[in-house]
Amino acid sequence: MNKGLDDRIREFGKTMSVGSVSFWQQDQNYWNQSQSQSQNSDAVITTMSSAMTSLSSGLASIYNQEALTRTNNALTAAIQSELQQTQSANSTGSSSGSSSSSSSSTSGSSSSSSSGSSSAGSLATGIGTVPLTASTPLSTLRIPPNSAITVSDGTHSTTYTTTGTDTVTNLIGAINANVYGNAQVTASLNSNGNLVLTGNYNSDNITVGGTFASAIGFGIGNNQFSPTPASAPSSSATGAASAGTGSSSGSAGSSSSTSGSSSSAAPFNSALALQTDSSAELLLASNGAVGTLLNVLA
C-alpha cells in the first residue's frame, strides 16, 4: 500500500514544476552536475600529482648531477694539492741536503770522506706473458662473451666484461678510464706486445683476476705484483786523528745529506681529502664544500 502511495507521489513530483522544470528533473540535474564536478576534480588532482612527480624527478636529477660535479671537482683539487705538496717537499729536501753536504765536504775534504747509496723504489708493475696487438680480438684468445677480467690496486677494482666483438684496445681503454672507484692502474702494450699494468701510486699492489686472465698473460703465479720500497741511503765517514775538525765537518755533511733525503719524501696521501676514502660527502666536507650530498637518482 505504501509502495502505491510512493509511486503516486513520484508521478506527482514529475508533473509539478517551477517555471518549466519539474522537481524530479531539478533533482536529476543536481546529481548530474555534482558527478561532473567530481570527475573534473579528480582530473585536476591527477594532473597536479603527475606534475609534482615530474618536478620531483627533475629536481632529483639536477641535484644528483650537481653532487657528482662537486665530488669530481673536490677529488681533482685534492689530487692536485697532494702533487704540489709532494713536489715542493722533494724540491726543498734536495736543495737543503745538497747545500749542507757541499759545505761540509769543502771544510773537511782534506781529512774525511763520505759515500752513500740509495734506492728510490718503483711502482708495482705486472707484465703479461702472451704477445698481443691493439687490434687482437679477445674472442681469438678463447675468451667467451660475458667473461669478467678484474684489475685491483688493493683498494679499488676495475671489472671489464667482454662482449664477444671487443679487442685488446677495448680492454686497455676500460682499465685506463678515469672513473671514480676504478683501480688506479695504467695499462699499455710494450715493444714485445705484452700487456703491462703499472700502479699509479707507490703503495698500490696490483692483482689481476678472472677465469680467463691467463689468456692475456696473467695466470696463476703472474697475477700479483707489489711495489719496490725505497731504501734509505747508507753513509760512512773516516778521518785522521790529527784532523778532528775535518772529520767532524764530514760527519755533519753526511748527517745533513741523510736528513735532506728523508725529509724529501712527503707522506703518501698526506692530503686530508685523500685520506678519508670513505664517502663523497666526507670528500666534499674536507675540501671546504660544506653541505648535504643528495644521493638520489632520477
Side-chain angles (χ1 to χ4, degrees):
M1 188 171 190
N2 290 336
K3 181 178 180 181
L5 178 61
D6 290 340
D7 291 339
R8 287 195 297 273
I9 293 174
R10 187 179 297 108
E11 290 298 326
F12 177 75
K14 291 182 179 180
T15 59
M16 292 297 294
S17 65
V18 176
S20 60
V21 181
S22 66
F23 291 142
W24 181 84
Q25 186 61 48
Q26 290 183 50
D27 181 68
Q28 292 298 310
N29 292 344
Y30 170 78
W31 288 112
N32 289 338
Q33 183 179 4
S34 298
Q35 183 178 9
S36 177
Q37 291 176 347
S38 177
Q39 291 175 348
N40 291 338
S41 177
D42 291 342
V44 171
I45 292 174
T46 300
T47 302
M48 292 179 64
S49 177
S50 177
M52 291 296 293
T53 300
S54 298
L55 176 62
S56 299
S57 177
L59 290 176
S61 179
I62 293 172
Y63 293 155
N64 187 61
Q65 182 58 48
E66 177 65 18
L68 292 175
T69 300
R70 291 174 59 194
T71 301
N72 288 336
N73 291 341
L75 181 60
T76 300
I79 293 175
Q80 291 177 346
S81 175
E82 171 65 11
L83 291 175
Q84 291 174 356
Q85 291 179 14
T86 301
Q87 292 173 354
S88 176
N90 287 338
S91 176
T92 302
S94 297
S95 61
S96 175
S98 297
S99 60
S100 298
S101 178
S102 176
S103 175
S104 300
S105 296
T106 300
S107 62
S109 58
S110 61
S111 60
S112 66
S113 63
S114 64
S115 62
S117 61
S118 64
S119 172
S122 62
L123 299 171
T125 301
I127 302 177
T129 59
V130 176
L132 306 168
T133 66
S135 59
T136 299
L138 297 182
S139 59
T140 63
L141 302 176
R142 297 185 178 181
I143 303 177
N146 298 319
S147 298
I149 296 176
T150 61
V151 177
S152 171
D153 62 9
T155 302
H156 302 290
S157 180
T158 300
T159 301
Y160 178 74
T161 303
T162 59
T163 64
T165 59
D166 43 4
T167 65
V168 172
T169 297
N170 299 121
L171 174 61
I172 292 176
I175 297 174
N176 292 337
N178 185 20
V179 178
Y180 181 73
N182 275 11
Q184 296 299 302
V185 175
T186 300
S188 62
L189 292 177
N190 62 16
S191 58
N192 296 324
N194 303 114
L195 182 60
V196 179
L197 302 177
T198 306
N200 293 348
Y201 300 101
N202 57 12
S203 65
D204 290 344
N205 295 287
I206 299 176
T207 302
V208 184
T211 303
F212 296 94
S214 59
I216 58 174
F218 294 96
I220 300 299
N222 190 49
N223 62 343
Q224 293 183 343
F225 312 96
S226 300
T228 302
S231 62
S234 59
S235 61
S236 61
T238 59
S242 59
T245 303
S247 243
S248 176
S249 298
S251 298
S254 297
S255 299
S256 298
S257 178
T258 303
S259 175
S261 298
S262 62
S263 64
S264 64
F268 180 71
N269 275 4
S270 60
L272 177 61
L274 298 180
Q275 290 178 16
T276 57
D277 193 32
S278 57
S279 69
E281 187 171 1
L282 289 178
L283 177 62
L284 290 174
S286 64
N287 194 52
V290 180
T292 301
L293 178 63
L294 297 180
N295 187 18
V296 292
L297 295 175

